[in-house]
DNA sequence: CAAACGATCGGCT
DNA sequence: GCCGATCGTTTGC
């Protein structure tokens, strides 16, 4: 029951994305498909949620920008080799916690980085986590950029490996029944991966043009 | 054990 | 647009 729960969040009736959504082999398509879905967290009884508005795909073994390039396994990247439907959260520049969705079958290290969300519920909690003064006008910087989006949602590296489909881990993604037309999806190169050679040119970054919450 | 390196952010020019 | 902060992870010696 718990993992098939339909919930009303921010006025939208959400159904939890099933495992089949995540285990598909085309991580680039999944990165597109995640736009407009709702990322929900509920920690210590406080729920925060937002529309996913910007994503990037990362894919081992051929993608030099991917932490698991060449299928390299380390303690950190091990969760990327799990079957899809779990979180991969890692610390970047010693400070920022970046949230990814692991995709594909077991032993394929694919993941989608969530780069931005548009707040839908729990705005005051997001302000608190981000250290913004309450009552200020809502700016995209609250939850745009992967470190900022994760921080607004209370996500940290200790949650890497948590399941998004099975059980009540406090993190899940819901479907609001909305289908984005191609015309509303922006496509471009990934950000911050210049050192990945020709892989840096792959157009694997996606954003929802109608939102203000992307870079 | 030492050192370099980030899938970034926010402040300042 | 530029630049420094900051520290866990990874790799090299």
């Amino acid at each position: 029951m718990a993992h098939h729960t339909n919930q009303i969040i921010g006025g939208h009736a959400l159904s939890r994305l099933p495992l089949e959504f995540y285990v598909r082999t085309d991580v680039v398509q999944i990165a597109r498909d995640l736009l407009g879905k709702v990322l929900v967290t509920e920690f210590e009884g406080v729920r925060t949620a937002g529309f996913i508005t910007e994503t990037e795909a990362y894919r081992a073994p051929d993608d030099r920008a991917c932490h698991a390039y060449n299928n390299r396994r380390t303690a950190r990247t091990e969760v990327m080799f799990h079957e899809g439907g779990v979180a991969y959260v890692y610390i970047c520049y010693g400070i920022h916690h970046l949230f990814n969705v692991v995709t594909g079958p077991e032993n394929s290290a694919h993941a989608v980085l969530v780069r931005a969300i548009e707040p839908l519920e729990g705005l005051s909690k997001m302000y608190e986590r981000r250290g913004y003064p309450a009552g200020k006008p809502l700016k995209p910087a609250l939850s745009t950029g992967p470190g900022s989006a994760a921080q607004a949602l209370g996500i940290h590296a200790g949650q890497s490996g948590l399941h998004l489909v099975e059980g009540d881990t406090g993190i899940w993604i819901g479907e609001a029944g909305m289908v984005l037309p191609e015309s509303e999806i922006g496509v471009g190169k990934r950000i911050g991966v210049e050192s990945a050679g020709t892989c840096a040119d792959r157009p694997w970054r996606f954003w929802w043009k109608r939102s203000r919450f992307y870079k």
Side-chain angles (χ1 to χ4, degrees), chain A residues 72-82 88-90 160:
Chain A
R72 185 183 47 141
R73 288 175 185 260
T74 66
R76 181 180 66 159
T77 63
E78 192 59 33
V79 298
M80 292 186 75
F81 293 84
H82 288 199
Y88 169 49
V89 189
Y90 74 97
S160 196

Side-chain angles (χ1 to χ4, degrees), chain A residues 78-105:
Chain A
E78 192 59 33
V79 298
M80 292 186 75
F81 293 84
H82 288 199
E83 179 182 62
V86 300
Y88 169 49
V89 189
Y90 74 97
I91 298 176
C92 187
Y93 291 95
I95 317 170
H96 310 292
H97 297 244
L98 275 52
F99 171 79
N100 298 252
V101 176
V102 173
T103 70

Side-chain angles (χ1 to χ4, degrees), chain A residues 145-162:
Chain A
S148 303
Q151 185 178 39
L153 290 166
I155 293 172
H156 57 82
Q159 295 153 343
S160 196
L162 289 186

Side-chain angles (χ1 to χ4, degrees), chain A residues 41-48 121-122 125 129 169-170:
Chain A
T41 64
E42 187 166 347
F43 303 126
E44 297 174 340
V46 182
R47 190 161 66 199
T48 47
E121 188 168 304
K125 187 66 181 178
R129 287 171 174 152
T169 61

Side-chain angles (χ1 to χ4, degrees), chain A residues 159-183:
Chain A
Q159 295 153 343
S160 196
L162 289 186
H163 219 286
L164 307 175
V165 182
E166 297 163 7
D168 293 310
T169 61
I171 311 181
W172 57 284
I173 299 175
E175 158 75 73
M178 177 172 49
V179 178
L180 304 196
E182 285 296 307
S183 60

Side-chain angles (χ1 to χ4, degrees), chain A residues 97-152:
Chain A
H97 297 244
L98 275 52
F99 171 79
N100 298 252
V101 176
V102 173
T103 70
E106 190 178 4
N107 292 323
S108 81
H110 300 178
V112 176
L113 173 67
V114 173
R115 293 193 54 89
I117 61 150
E118 179 168 330
L120 185 58
E121 188 168 304
L123 192 60
S124 62
K125 187 66 181 178
M126 294 189 196
Y127 271 82
E128 179 192 321
R129 287 171 174 152
R130 295 276 294 130
Y132 273 43
K136 288 280 185 176
L138 177 58
K139 290 188 197 163
L142 181 74
S143 55
T144 298
S148 303
Q151 185 178 39

